[in-house]
Amino acid sequence: MNKKQHISILLATALISLFMLWGIISRIQFDFDLRNFYPLEHEETEYFEGYVERFGWDNNYILLGVECKGAHIYQPAFLKEVDSLSNSLLQLEEIVQLIGPTKQEIYRYVPFMDLMNSSPLLALDSSAARLAEDSLKVVERPDLLGQLFAEDQQSVLILMQQKEGMQYEDCKRLIGRIDSLIQPFEEFKALHFAGKCYGQTTFVDLSRQEVATFVGLSILVIIIALFFSYRRFWGVWMPLSVVGVTVLWTLGTMMWLGFSLDFISNMIPTIILIIGISNVIHLFSKFLLGLQAGQAKKLALKRAIKEVGRATILTSGTTIIGFLSLLFSNVSPLINLGAFAALGLIYAFLLTYSFFPALLMISQANFQLKAAKDDFWQQQLGRLALWVERHYGKIIIGSLLLMALGLWGSSQLRINQHVLDDLSERHPQIVDSRFFENEFKGTRQFEMEIILRDSSKSLSDTAVLRALDPLERYLLEDYGLGSMFSPLARLKMANRMTHSGKADYYRLPQSRSEWKKAQKIEANFLANGRYPLVVLANGKRGRFAGKMPDMGSLEAQKRHAALAQFIREQELDQLIDYRLTGSAYLMDINNQCIADNVFYGLLLCFLFIFLLMLYLFRSWRMASIALLPNILPLALVGALMAWNGVDIKISTSILFIIAFGIAVDDSIHFMAAYRLASQEAKSKAEALRSCFRGTGKAIVVTTLILVSGFSCLLFSSFMGTFYIGLYTSICLFLALLADLLLLPALILRFGEELQE
């Protein structure tokens, strides 16, 4: 290419970059919608969508926990402030319904007048002594104690149902209004918040903050690494401009296509920055070595492209294949991560071999480095090559022992996920969640739909309800639900109303007259919105719903199995068909699906790498040698995760694919360099020494940059992102050691003399 063509490339790159920048500025969006994490095109997701149409959303609520300053919650001043706050919250247009401790009433049925009479559960205008008496009524009510009133008498809960379909901006506005309402109150010791709106705004706000943080830290890391590698200004800004334009193009494409960033895709800019620099450094290092050898700039660039071009095609291809394997996932955020990370790496490759050469040829910089004999890297790597030659047998034996240990440790990895374990334990949202877990019997939603098998029966039939009563007791006493909404619970509440609200009568009616009274109240009083929908109009489908502690998907699966066994033992499967569903249940299913997809994705990557090495060397033996050093780091990282209690879940499962797709690049560069060196070397040892001197520095430098770049993710408030940063960094460092120790050792012991 001539100078005019190089200038044309630079101008075209600048124009495209301006277009992408405008798309980012005008269209960038951050979002977190729990529905995006439901498994796509899955029968359970489709079933839940129908369930929502029948009974409504299971997580469309806001929890507000209020701690009191005094010795206990039954103090007039505190309860009056709680009541005042509840009244103010009810005035908000976003709040559809509110259930609070001061809004509870005792209902009594007056038979001869056929009406309901009610009185407040708590007499707010009375003395502290009277409230202490009222507190005894709370203790007798299992539907209140541990639900709206904490058992330790230090806090109360206000439950609000929010409007359907509220997006980030709506939730942000609602949270602002709630914050302004709680300011005047003086009897509150602390307040705790949870629910859909708070989770959504927390994840979106953190995603916004972390994109800027990660990009800034990644750029700083790259600048430091490039400066210490080349010690020249041009050695920093030229490679950095390539990855900077790559990130600009990738984000711009996402925005122009209408995609948004979430707490998973916010890693894309960081991933592109720290992975995209690799090809640039390999090309740049080879170019500078050519200049050191006395070649003209144009010739040095041409030979550099020729020598590393095939290797970078292969390394880019393997990393892209790794990310594209995420397309087989059934979760939108992971699919988006895989697609746009792969697109970004394609952009990085194209810019490395078009924009970067144009920069080099147009630049008037004096590309001078120290003579090879004074190069620190070549001296140290040359010594390492000699050490490997002397100890390759011990290296192979030690590596095999470590691999066996790693594979055994990896076999202990668990597939497990909690509702909010992607946030750091120190984050206020997690602190609040733990508060509700400890004081109000959990935050994990339970949803189960039952369908009567006999179409002639109804969920209002006495025999049906009595047959289902053991199921409800099992869910509360053995399965672990802390609260329950169900057809039976609604009837039990109606029965209690017919007996002046006495707690002992919270049970199914026993006599025929009790049944008639309770069902009449149920139909006329509880079925008009005062109680959640638990039975459809036809009486054939019902809902058992509640909340429980967030024990994790692994424990949940055990409880599901025990529930199924109980239903079989009680022969309830002859009466009903049942189906577990709900947001938490779908997340559990999704977690298992993702773990399976990652396993098959890794197999696909292994196969692809093996075929690439087979193509490069035309040798089954050499292809196998190239693959083994990349299994060792994955096995050791899997073992470390298992021993440190890090489970496989949506956010951590992808680190294996990311780490393998990147780690294998150094093996490809090393093997490609060995293939070229073996054409002129007289022995394998001589060819390997040439590899260490020629491509060793680029491998070390790129790995150090990658490790440093992924270490930036350690500053994340999302634990999944934190673990990706930590264990990917460890994996890449172990992969570097494997490529510089185990790979040449295997070549010396089992490799073929490749002469052409």
Side-chain angles (χ1 to χ4, degrees):
M1 287 187 181
N2 55 39
K3 185 176 181 179
K4 185 176 180 180
Q5 291 173 318
H6 291 311
I7 293 175
S8 298
I9 291 174
L10 295 179
L11 288 174
T13 302
L15 290 174
I16 296 174
S17 299
L18 288 174
F19 175 74
M20 295 300 186
L21 179 61
W22 172 246
I24 295 172
I25 294 174
S26 61
R27 294 171 174 260
I28 189 166
Q29 291 182 342
F30 294 82
D31 190 22
F32 174 77
D33 189 340
L34 188 63
R35 288 172 292 183
N36 291 335
F37 291 85
Y38 298 159
L40 295 173
E41 299 180 359
H42 195 283
E43 61 174 346
E44 294 293 347
T45 302
E46 295 176 0
Y47 185 87
F48 179 60
E49 290 172 352
Y51 180 84
V52 168
E53 292 179 0
R54 292 189 289 273
F55 294 102
W57 283 102
D58 64 337
N59 64 345
N60 206 36
Y61 59 85
I62 293 175
L63 298 177
L64 172 55
V66 185
E67 293 187 67
C68 68
K69 285 184 177 180
H72 56 77
I73 57 178
Y74 300 107
Q75 302 177 66
F78 172 73
L79 290 174
K80 285 180 180 179
E81 288 197 353
V82 171
D83 190 58
S84 177
L85 175 59
S86 299
N87 292 332
S88 299
L89 291 170
L90 270 172
Q91 301 304 312
L92 297 176
E93 60 180 350
E94 296 90 349
I95 301 302
V96 177
Q97 188 178 18
L98 182 145
I99 301 175
T102 62
K103 300 300 179 184
Q104 299 302 304
E105 296 190 347
I106 298 176
Y107 293 95
R108 298 175 177 85
Y109 177 63
V110 183
F112 59 88
M113 297 182 66
D114 195 24
L115 56 79
M116 293 294 299
N117 186 20
S118 66
S119 61
L121 175 68
L122 301 175
L124 301 182
D125 295 327
S126 61
S127 64
R130 171 64 188 278
L131 283 173
E133 294 178 6
D134 290 342
S135 68
L136 298 177
K137 304 173 186 176
V138 175
V139 174
E140 296 174 349
R141 295 272 299 272
D143 57 322
L144 295 179
L145 188 64
Q147 307 299 326
L148 299 179
F149 299 85
E151 293 183 355
D152 63 2
Q153 300 186 13
Q154 296 298 310
S155 54
V156 295
L157 172 67
I158 299 174
L159 177 65
M160 294 167 277
Q161 182 182 354
Q162 67 189 51
K163 280 184 178 180
E164 295 281 356
M166 290 180 61
Q167 300 302 314
Y168 168 77
E169 295 298 335
D170 303 316
C171 287
K172 194 73 173 178
R173 184 168 51 253
L174 173 59
I175 289 174
R177 291 175 177 173
I178 293 176
D179 288 342
S180 65
L181 289 177
I182 63 179
Q183 296 302 321
F185 300 105
E186 299 178 352
E187 297 295 324
F188 299 163
K189 177 182 177 181
L191 294 110
H192 305 271
F193 304 91
K196 183 178 179 181
C197 260
Y198 283 89
Q200 184 174 2
T201 53
T202 295
F203 276 73
V204 171
D205 289 343
L206 283 177
S207 296
R208 284 178 168 174
Q209 297 169 14
E210 295 195 349
V211 165
T213 301
F214 294 158
V215 170
L217 288 174
S218 300
I219 291 175
L220 179 62
V221 164
I222 292 173
I223 289 174
I224 294 173
L226 291 174
F227 176 77
F228 280 102
S229 298
Y230 300 114
R231 304 297 180 92
R232 298 291 187 274
F233 178 65
W234 46 258
V236 175
W237 77 265
M238 284 188 173
L240 190 60
S241 64
V242 176
V243 291
V245 171
T246 301
V247 171
L248 202 63
W249 286 19
T250 305
L251 287 181
T253 303
M254 289 184 67
M255 297 307 110
W256 281 116
L257 292 177
F259 289 87
S260 57
L261 293 174
D262 52 44
F263 80 102
I264 288 182
S265 59
N266 71 344
M267 292 186 292
I268 290 177
T270 303
I271 290 173
I272 299 301
L273 277 171
I274 58 184
I275 299 178
I277 198 70
S278 176
N279 287 343
V280 183
I281 290 177
H282 280 285
L283 179 60
F284 203 16
S285 297
K286 188 64 69 174
F287 168 74
L288 294 175
L289 286 175
L291 294 181
Q292 282 182 322
Q295 299 171 3
K297 184 193 291 188
K298 186 174 182 179
L299 178 61
L301 180 60
K302 183 177 180 180
R303 289 190 174 181
I305 292 174
K306 181 179 180 181
E307 290 185 20
V308 303
R310 175 184 289 186
T312 51
I313 290 175
L314 295 178
T315 56
S316 296
T318 56
T319 309
I320 289 169
I321 288 295
F323 280 107
L324 288 179
S325 67
L326 294 177
L327 298 182
F328 295 100
S329 169
N330 53 358
V331 182
S332 294
L334 293 187
I335 293 173
N336 295 341
L337 173 66
F340 287 107
L343 178 63
L345 294 178
I346 293 173
Y347 284 155
F349 180 81
L350 295 176
L351 289 167
T352 299
Y353 288 97
S354 58
F355 174 61
F356 187 56
L359 277 182
L360 293 175
M361 297 308 297
I362 293 298
S363 174
Q364 300 299 314
N366 184 14
F367 298 104
Q368 291 183 354
L369 292 174
K370 294 180 180 180
K373 63 180 180 180
D374 298 323
D375 193 306
F376 168 82
W377 292 102
Q378 292 202 21
Q379 291 178 9
Q380 299 303 318
L381 289 169
R383 292 172 184 170
L384 181 60
L386 294 175
W387 186 85
V388 172
E389 288 179 31
R390 293 193 296 267
H391 301 92
Y392 68 85
K394 296 178 181 178
I395 292 172
I396 293 174
I397 294 174
S399 299
L400 290 176
L401 291 175
L402 284 175
M403 186 174 296
L405 179 65
L407 291 173
W408 173 78
S410 297
S411 67
Q412 301 177 52
L413 277 171
R414 303 184 310 169
I415 301 173
N416 191 31
Q417 171 144 351
H418 293 76
V419 175
L420 277 179
D421 62 353
D422 264 316
L423 289 175
S424 166
E425 285 292 328
R426 300 183 302 273
H427 193 276
Q429 191 67 36
I430 288 293
V431 174
D432 285 351
S433 177
R434 297 289 179 261
F435 169 81
F436 292 111
E437 287 279 312
N438 297 329
E439 303 297 333
F440 295 101
K441 299 186 178 180
T443 56
R444 179 187 171 99
Q445 290 297 118
F446 171 85
E447 299 286 339
M448 180 174 75
E449 185 173 21
I450 60 171
I451 306 99
L452 292 176
R453 300 179 68 114
D454 189 341
S455 59
S456 65
K457 295 181 179 180
S458 170
L459 284 171
S460 62
D461 294 347
T462 301
V464 171
L465 292 171
R466 283 178 174 166
L468 292 176
D469 197 32
L471 174 60
E472 181 168 286
R473 289 200 305 271
Y474 176 84
L475 290 172
L476 289 169
E477 298 171 6
D478 298 303
Y479 188 86
L481 292 190
S483 64
M484 171 70 75
F485 294 119
S486 71
L488 288 86
R490 189 174 71 174
L491 187 63
K492 291 175 182 178
M493 183 177 290
N495 188 56
R496 184 175 61 197
M497 291 178 181
T498 66
H499 293 83
S500 301
K502 295 179 181 179
D504 291 343
Y505 289 92
Y506 184 78
R507 55 168 173 74
L508 289 179
Q510 294 181 350
S511 65
R512 179 173 298 182
S513 61
E514 277 190 336
W515 277 99
K516 289 183 178 180
K517 292 177 183 178
Q519 288 180 328
K520 185 175 183 179
I521 292 177
E522 180 186 32
N524 297 334
F525 185 73
L526 293 179
N528 60 357
R530 287 187 174 90
Y531 195 87
L533 180 62
V534 290
V535 179
L536 295 187
N538 61 10
K540 309 303 179 186
R541 289 176 177 263
R543 171 194 185 197
F544 283 71
K547 63 178 181 178
M548 59 195 300
D550 184 17
M551 81 296 289
S553 59
L554 190 62
E555 175 62 25
Q557 290 175 2
K558 296 178 182 178
R559 298 192 187 192
H560 298 338
L563 173 61
Q565 182 177 356
F566 174 82
I567 290 175
R568 289 194 300 270
E569 290 175 352
Q570 297 293 317
E571 298 183 349
L572 291 175
D573 52 347
Q574 299 179 16
L575 174 66
I576 60 169
D577 290 320
Y578 80 98
R579 190 86 172 249
L580 296 176
T581 187
S583 300
Y585 184 73
L586 285 181
M587 295 291 283
D588 294 345
I589 292 176
N590 211 15
N591 207 36
Q592 182 65 53
C593 293
I594 288 173
D596 294 339
N597 290 337
V598 167
F599 175 75
Y600 292 117
L602 279 176
L603 289 181
L604 176 64
C605 291
F606 285 147
L607 177 61
F608 184 74
I609 300 302
F610 182 80
L611 293 177
L612 277 180
M613 292 296 101
L614 190 62
Y615 165 76
L616 187 63
F617 287 97
R618 306 294 197 276
S619 167
W620 292 90
R621 186 189 302 179
M622 295 301 290
S624 301
I625 287 174
L627 196 59
L628 285 175
N630 294 288
I631 297 177
L632 176 60
L634 292 180
L636 291 176
V637 164
L640 287 174
M641 290 176 62
W643 295 332
N644 286 303
V646 179
D647 299 323
I648 297 295
K649 51 189 174 184
I650 292 175
S651 53
T652 60
S653 59
I654 59 176
L655 74 86
F656 290 99
I657 288 179
I658 293 175
F660 179 76
I662 301 170
V664 76
D665 290 358
D666 287 344
S667 299
I668 293 174
H669 278 291
F670 193 95
M671 294 293 283
Y674 174 74
R675 183 176 182 275
L676 290 173
S678 65
Q679 296 176 11
E680 299 178 358
K682 296 179 181 179
S683 66
K684 291 186 288 185
E686 183 179 338
L688 287 171
R689 288 195 292 270
S690 177
C691 290
F692 273 90
R693 292 192 301 269
T695 196
K697 176 181 177 180
I699 289 176
V700 173
V701 171
T702 54
T703 299
L704 291 178
I705 292 177
L706 288 167
V707 169
S708 302
F710 273 102
S711 296
C712 296
L713 301 181
L714 297 178
F715 294 95
S716 176
S717 296
F718 298 118
M719 293 308 297
T721 305
F722 172 86
Y723 288 133
I724 288 175
L726 175 63
Y727 289 106
T728 300
S729 299
I730 294 174
C731 186
L732 294 177
F733 180 74
L734 293 174
L736 174 64
L737 295 180
D739 288 328
L740 295 180
L741 299 176
L742 178 58
L743 181 57
L746 290 171
I747 292 175
L748 287 169
R749 177 63 181 86
F750 302 106
E752 300 174 353
E753 297 276 1
L754 297 180
Q755 299 287 343
E756 291 185 5

